[in-house]
Amino acid sequence: MSSEQDHLKETDTEARFDFHKEQKAAVKSEKGLTEEVIRMISEDKDEPEWMLERRLRALKQYQAMPMPTDWPGQPDLSELDVEEIVPYIRPDVDKREGVDDWTELPEEIKDTFDKLGIPEAEKNALSGVGAQYESEIVYQNMQEQWEEKGVVFMNMDRAVKEHPEIVKEHFMTTCVPPSDNKFAALHGAVWSGGSFVYVPEDVTVEMPVQAYFRMNSEGMGQFEHTLIVAEPGSEVHYIEGCSAPKYGVHNLHSGGVEVFVKEDAHVQYSTVQNWSKNTFNLNTKRAIVEENGTMEWISGSMGSKATMLYPCSILKGRGATDTHITIAFAGEGQDIDTGAKVYHNAPDTKSTIESKSISKDGGRTNYRGLVHIADGAEGSSTAVECDALMFDNESTSDTMPYMEIEESKVDVAHEATVGKIGDEDIFYLQSRGLDDDDAKKMIVAGFIEPITEELPIEYAVELNRLIELEMEGSLG
Amino acid sequence: MSTQLHANLTEEQVRQISGELDEPEWMLETRLEALAALEELDMPKVIRTPGRDWTNLHELDFETLVDPLNWAEEKDQVGPDDVEVLPWADALAEHEELVREHFGSIVPPQENYLTALSTALFSTGTVVYVPEGVDAEDVTIRTEMNSKSLFNYTLVLTEESSSVTILERQSTGDADVEGERYYSGIVEIAAGENSYVQYGTLQNLSPETYGFSAKRGETDTYATLNWIEGNMGTQLTKTETSTVLAGDSSESQIVGAFFGTDEQHFDIDVKVWHRAEHTTADLVTRGVTDDEARSVYEGVQDVGRDAWDTSSYQRENTLMLSDESEADASPKLIINNHDTEASHSATVGQIDEEDLLYMTSRGVTPQLARNMLVEGFFVPVLEEVEVEEFREDLEDLIQARLRK
């Protein structure tokens, strides 16, 4: 095993995520959502007028929309009170756009990311890193070799000022308009931080770029925005990780992700989500894929109290391809409602969805999927496969796919299975000398292997380690 | 959201229907309560995805579709001697207590707007009572609808260790009726301990007709309840076929076939609730959509917390013959007990080009080849139909659709 894997293996993962630092805030908004708060955020960021207007319009849409309540089997959001959430905290750092050297960060923040192992990972395997603390990116770095080729990887607030044309065109316009759902509208009003990635035509960024989001304060909301524009023929792999310590009150994470995959471009978007178990994770992630483009979503959903997240690809150009690989793990008190959405809006488009879920100690997982094949999307095909593993009788696992097929020349297949861990399998492993716990861990590791295979090695190791911890019941 | 109350529905009409059937007071009360509840009840649930309802029942104008007092039908209700197959009025006269105990116990009269409308207005019905230990090969119920609207009700009760096969057919007669029509049918089956029930329906109502049906059964210990659901006719049909596996070691199979042409719309809802130990369910549906027809399929396997050692399977396949048709599907698994083996699958596709090429290269005309492949597509479902007469009827209807 190489040294970077050792590093991840040996760090106590629980201690890595579950700690919290006293960090002074430079600016902290009032609780709740008012026009004043929105204006304050925009002013503090010294934003152009058009962005403030977009925020205010999104706020109106947010106020007009009802909370989602009547989806079959949806997570309970009744404990979420957006009026009690602090939507904006700017940490007290010197450089607003983020420093490019870890040592320039205040000791508390640097220490936080050190513990999470982010600087270590950057040295070893990444093209660039953005690190967000509360509402703002505090560290941003991109290796020179990519900058020279015109690749842009910067914090979203800065992109608004430095790349206004690209941002104006793409920011919450066609991909995730605020009208899409209540939390997209909320996001549009209070968004802060996040990443902007621009890859010029025919440039391949060979190593992944990464952003890490850390929520540190009690009762806050984090609303980072990620905008990725991959020009024709380009290729990039974006990884996000996130964590927050435990608190007695609820946090809200409502990010927005928009990915534009142009002709023949290839974007892979990987997430390992490990929010603390008091966090409502209500995200909107979507990609628009042009001719022969490829979008890959890979996600591991471990943490949060309740998650409602269905990454979506709109296959807009002929021959566009989508892949979704997801794993969800719900332990005690967790409700992970996640899945995938794909709109086949052009001929010869292709999607595959592979979803695995594990529920344990009363946790609930749900695969909620929508595959829409529009009239005229002939020659399209989709294959959906969901497998659920249940540990005990307090847990719940549901599968709710929706398939809307308006075109006859297509190939659509959905399959799902649910089962418990096989007694025979455990017996077999025990008879080979493993104890019950190790046998279960080994079965789970085998069950999720198709997912971990797709992740860079360090993330795969982290995901495995997180699952092991969940199974030991040591993450509360 | 509540639905519009009919301006043309009155208590007086309900009293008249009840009076003509010579019903006891409690039955009239049940009807009047259902009538009164219409104002607050909503339409049956349909699937919603962003931007639309998959079936729009709210668009139907029940005020013009329903003509409460002018019902007309031809009905056959026959069965072997040792089974009682009784018209509604006779059943009330002979087995009032039994009817009172079971009526509305499986499909609650006020479950939704359409069940309540049915309860308030049903004017024809059948009660099938199978005494302990009796094996009844074939009970036949044929309903020919000869009026603007018709409300039908069927109750099946099987006692311990009995068995029965019931075939029900609905069609439209030649009666001269202007414009659109409405058929509503409710079926409740209480399958007693260790009894076996096969209940087949073949619906071939005219294209002017809108149809609604709720067929639901409950199984006692070791009981088996098998449904066959053939949907061919109507303009729009919303139908639910479901089993509550309430007794340990009980089983259910639901086999469905549909064939939509022109602008037909089928909303087919198949459900099984595993509520006891060692229960088994198998749901199999195959359908074809042609022209501008649309199919909506929802299948639910719901495994309750106490349903230990459950096996539950579901398969749905749709064949699309035309580009203007649409096939929507949502097979759902809801699992609350981990001692479960469950799976579901759904596919949508067109006729295999290679199969077609193979057949035409052997001299079969393209049209005949297509018809043969469609007939072949239904074979796995037809094989599950145990009664030959029923299977042949279904095959004939499929062939008639292909050759129209």
Side-chain angles (χ1 to χ4, degrees):
Chain A
M1 201 182 266
S2 70
S3 63
E4 60 264 35
Q5 293 162 41
D6 288 339
H7 154 74
L8 283 156
K9 186 83 188 168
E10 282 162 15
T11 316
D12 179 351
T13 314
E14 180 181 4
R16 281 176 59 210
F17 298 112
D18 187 18
F19 57 89
H20 110 268
K21 284 272 166 189
E22 288 301 326
Q23 163 63 28
K24 279 181 246 115
V27 176
K28 185 173 174 181
S29 75
E30 297 293 309
K31 284 181 192 170
L33 278 181
T34 59
E35 199 179 310
E36 271 164 34
V37 168
I38 307 301
R39 284 184 187 279
M40 186 279 268
I41 295 171
S42 185
E43 197 178 324
D44 191 54
K45 290 180 180 300
D46 194 22
E47 274 177 358
E49 189 63 24
W50 61 266
M51 183 51 86
L52 174 65
E53 275 164 25
R54 285 192 192 182
R55 286 180 184 276
L56 293 173
R57 200 169 347 135
L59 177 69
K60 282 212 177 84
Q61 283 167 313
Y62 168 76
Q63 285 161 343
M65 275 187 250
M67 283 285 272
T69 49
D70 57 351
W71 297 18
Q74 82 159 79
D76 179 11
L77 302 181
S78 62
E79 284 181 58
L80 171 65
D81 185 355
V82 177
E83 296 307 315
E84 285 298 312
I85 298 279
V86 177
Y88 181 62
I89 299 176
R90 167 151 68 87
D92 191 11
V93 290
D94 298 337
K95 273 175 91 179
R96 289 296 299 277
E97 63 271 26
V99 299
D100 57 7
D101 184 341
W102 291 105
T103 58
E104 289 175 40
L105 283 172
E107 200 53 40
E108 306 84 9
I109 296 181
K110 182 183 164 297
D111 193 33
T112 300
F113 285 106
D114 272 340
K115 277 197 171 169
L116 293 167
I118 309 300
E120 198 63 33
E122 182 186 18
K123 255 182 270 162
N124 294 324
L126 300 167
S127 303
V129 165
Q132 177 154 346
Y133 196 83
E134 318 294 29
S135 301
E136 296 226 324
I137 292 279
V138 291
Y139 173 86
Q140 186 83 50
N141 191 29
M142 179 83 197
Q143 288 184 12
E144 254 174 50
Q145 49 168 325
W146 308 118
E147 265 173 11
E148 279 164 12
K149 289 183 180 167
V151 179
V152 180
F153 176 46
M154 63 166 56
N155 104 46
M156 196 63 224
D157 298 291
R158 197 173 135 203
V160 171
K161 289 172 205 157
E162 293 185 17
H163 298 278
E165 295 317 312
I166 304 175
V167 175
K168 237 182 187 172
E169 183 188 338
H170 297 95
F171 187 92
M172 298 195 84
T173 51
T174 51
C175 194
V176 181
S179 58
D180 187 75
N181 66 72
K182 185 154 179 98
F183 291 94
L186 174 68
H187 174 87
V190 300
W191 78 272
S192 183
S195 308
F196 173 72
V197 180
Y198 178 83
V199 188
E201 207 165 325
D202 293 326
V203 171
T204 299
V205 184
E206 279 138 18
M207 279 147 74
V209 292
Q210 186 199 36
Y212 204 93
F213 302 98
R214 172 74 179 177
M215 221 188 314
N216 207 50
S217 295
E218 192 170 6
M220 83 163 292
Q222 196 171 56
F223 307 96
E224 83 287 352
H225 192 90
T226 305
L227 176 58
I228 299 175
V229 180
E231 293 289 0
S234 68
E235 192 172 335
V236 67
H237 182 180
Y238 180 88
I239 306 177
E240 65 176 7
C242 31
S243 69
K246 278 181 290 192
Y247 285 108
V249 296
H250 295 130
N251 282 4
L252 170 63
H253 173 247
S254 187
V257 173
E258 301 183 280
V259 184
F260 291 85
V261 184
K262 304 284 174 69
E263 293 83 20
D264 298 306
H266 183 163
V267 177
Q268 181 175 339
Y269 194 107
S270 306
T271 308
V272 175
Q273 177 261 106
N274 187 38
W275 298 112
S276 68
K277 289 177 185 174
N278 65 324
T279 302
F280 286 94
N281 183 35
L282 308 166
N283 250 323
T284 309
K285 295 184 172 180
R286 192 167 303 152
I288 295 179
V289 191
E290 307 284 350
E291 206 169 312
N292 292 323
T294 301
M295 181 68 207
E296 290 183 75
W297 297 101
I298 294 164
S299 25
S301 294
M302 311 289 308
S304 85
K305 176 185 178 62
T307 287
M308 288 175 79
L309 169 62
Y310 325 98
C312 171
S313 290
I314 297 169
L315 302 177
K316 196 180 157 202
R318 180 185 283 272
T321 303
D322 164 77
T323 309
H324 273 85
I325 299 177
T326 67
I327 167 117
F329 192 125
E332 190 179 350
Q334 288 186 286
D335 190 341
I336 312 277
D337 192 285
T338 186
K341 279 206 280 186
V342 185
Y343 291 88
H344 291 259
N345 289 347
D348 304 320
T349 50
K350 197 175 163 210
S351 64
T352 52
I353 298 168
E354 198 175 337
S355 162
K356 303 248 177 192
S357 75
I358 300 167
S359 53
K360 184 173 172 284
D361 299 331
R364 177 179 180 276
T365 59
N366 183 23
Y367 169 81
R368 196 186 295 277
L370 173 65
V371 175
H372 182 95
I373 300 190
D375 195 4
E378 57 182 51
S380 292
S381 66
T382 180
V384 182
E385 203 184 316
C386 312
D387 298 307
L389 192 62
M390 293 172 78
F391 267 82
D392 50 60
N393 204 38
E394 281 65 54
S395 305
T396 306
S397 181
D398 303 340
T399 309
M400 300 186 180
Y402 297 86
M403 283 167 277
E404 295 183 293
I405 316 298
E406 293 174 352
E407 166 64 47
S408 69
K409 295 178 198 69
V410 295
D411 186 5
V412 176
H414 170 97
E415 262 180 74
T417 63
V418 179
K420 62 173 175 175
I421 279 203
D423 292 338
E424 276 177 43
D425 298 339
I426 290 180
F427 178 75
Y428 174 83
L429 290 167
Q430 282 176 336
S431 73
R432 294 291 179 280
L434 288 159
D435 68 20
D436 186 58
D437 273 0
D438 285 339
K440 281 183 179 164
K441 273 181 213 162
M442 193 170 270
I443 290 166
V444 169
F447 178 73
I448 65 164
E449 196 180 280
I451 313 285
T452 48
E453 265 176 6
E454 294 296 320
L455 285 170
I457 182 73
E458 345 182 81
Y459 271 80
V461 170
E462 177 175 329
L463 191 66
N464 269 322
R465 181 79 188 116
L466 283 169
I467 286 174
E468 277 179 26
L469 280 168
E470 287 289 338
M471 288 172 53
E472 280 163 9
S474 54
L475 267 182
Chain B
M1 184 176 132
S2 80
T3 321
Q4 73 284 5
L5 181 65
H6 299 200
N8 61 346
L9 276 189
T10 63
E11 267 192 39
E12 213 30 63
Q13 291 166 328
V14 173
R15 283 177 197 281
Q16 193 178 331
I17 296 167
S18 185
E20 284 185 34
L21 292 164
D22 208 12
E23 286 178 346
E25 191 59 27
W26 64 265
M27 190 65 229
L28 175 62
E29 286 302 322
T30 308
R31 287 178 183 269
L32 291 173
E33 282 162 19
L35 180 75
L38 284 177
E39 212 167 344
E40 277 119 48
L41 292 171
D42 207 344
M43 284 293 166
K45 282 223 159 63
V46 297
I47 300 181
R48 281 189 64 91
T49 47
R52 68 167 178 175
D53 290 340
W54 284 9
T55 298
N56 205 336
L57 296 170
H58 286 278
E59 275 175 12
L60 298 184
D61 179 8
F62 286 90
E63 208 161 309
T64 56
L65 282 175
V66 172
D67 188 0
L69 293 181
N70 298 312
W71 69 87
E73 54 153 358
E74 286 282 327
K75 196 157 211 144
D76 262 348
Q77 293 151 308
V78 291
D81 289 346
D82 43 7
V83 177
E84 298 191 55
V85 182
L86 303 167
W88 181 243
D90 297 358
L92 279 173
E94 289 173 37
H95 294 288
E96 187 185 333
E97 279 319 303
L98 211 55
V99 173
R100 188 171 185 170
E101 184 190 337
H102 290 99
F103 181 86
S105 68
I106 299 169
V107 180
Q110 296 176 28
E111 184 164 287
N112 58 55
Y113 182 86
L114 296 182
T115 56
L117 191 67
S118 236
T119 304
L121 299 181
F122 80 89
S123 55
T124 176
T126 310
V127 174
V128 179
Y129 177 70
V130 189
E132 190 174 333
V134 167
D135 294 325
E137 279 297 305
D138 55 323
V139 171
T140 308
I141 307 170
R142 279 176 195 271
T143 307
E144 188 182 280
M145 174 172 169
N146 288 317
S147 48
K148 178 109 187 136
S149 59
L150 189 70
F151 294 85
N152 200 358
Y153 173 82
T154 310
L155 176 65
V156 178
L157 307 171
T158 57
E159 296 287 2
E160 196 177 329
S161 303
S162 64
S163 75
V164 66
T165 299
I166 300 167
L167 300 183
E168 194 196 352
R169 295 176 184 77
Q170 295 112 7
S171 59
T172 316
D174 303 329
D176 203 11
V177 177
E178 288 277 306
E180 295 174 333
R181 309 164 83 168
Y182 181 64
Y183 173 86
S184 167
I186 290 182
V187 178
E188 292 185 284
I189 298 182
E193 191 178 331
N194 196 39
S195 69
Y196 171 90
V197 182
Q198 171 162 279
Y199 194 98
T201 310
L202 192 48
Q203 178 274 107
N204 190 36
L205 295 159
S206 74
E208 292 78 36
T209 311
Y210 293 89
F212 166 72
S213 74
K215 306 187 186 84
R216 199 176 304 159
E218 207 170 290
T219 53
D220 204 334
T221 314
Y222 290 117
T224 300
L225 173 51
N226 292 342
W227 301 92
I228 298 152
E229 168 86 2
N231 276 295
M232 297 288 149
T234 72
Q235 168 66 238
L236 179 151
T237 282
K238 164 81 185 164
T239 174
E240 177 203 308
T241 309
S242 57
T243 306
V244 183
L245 292 163
D248 289 352
S249 304
S250 60
E251 296 175 24
S252 184
Q253 187 187 42
I254 305 176
V255 175
F258 61 85
F259 196 142
T261 59
D262 301 316
E263 290 179 336
Q264 282 187 286
H265 180 124
F266 294 126
D267 185 318
I268 288 164
D269 184 353
V270 178
K271 288 192 173 81
V272 60
W273 290 276
H274 294 264
R275 289 293 175 264
E277 296 180 19
H278 322 299
T279 52
T280 303
D282 190 16
L283 318 179
V284 187
T285 301
R286 287 202 164 202
V288 170
T289 55
D290 200 355
D291 305 326
E292 289 166 50
R294 174 136 181 247
S295 69
V296 169
Y297 170 86
E298 182 179 17
V300 177
Q301 299 149 272
D302 184 314
V303 178
R305 190 132 285 164
D306 303 321
W308 295 91
D309 187 23
T310 299
S311 302
S312 195
Y313 308 98
Q314 177 182 182
R315 281 159 288 161
E316 200 264 345
N317 309 95
T318 315
L319 191 61
M320 290 173 84
L321 297 181
S322 94
D323 224 15
E324 283 68 50
S325 63
E326 180 175 344
D328 301 332
S330 182
K332 299 190 175 97
L333 276 166
I334 298 169
I335 312 292
N336 287 297
N337 185 303
H338 77 298
D339 191 10
T340 298
E341 194 179 288
S343 70
H344 68 208
S345 67
T347 65
V348 180
Q350 57 181 341
I351 285 181
D352 193 280
E353 287 294 330
E354 274 180 41
D355 292 348
L356 208 55
L357 180 70
Y358 176 84
M359 292 170 82
T360 49
S361 72
R362 294 291 180 282
V364 181
T365 65
Q367 185 63 31
L368 183 60
R370 182 195 84 138
N371 292 356
M372 287 166 76
L373 288 169
V374 173
E375 284 172 46
F377 172 76
F378 278 110
V379 165
V381 163
L382 290 166
E383 276 175 353
E384 300 295 334
V385 182
E386 287 167 27
V387 182
E388 197 176 331
E389 181 199 350
F390 192 77
R391 188 168 57 236
E392 284 168 5
D393 277 4
L394 200 53
E395 275 172 321
D396 287 349
L397 285 175
I398 290 166
Q399 282 171 11
R401 300 227 136 203
L402 285 167
R403 287 172 180 79
K404 84 181 160 79

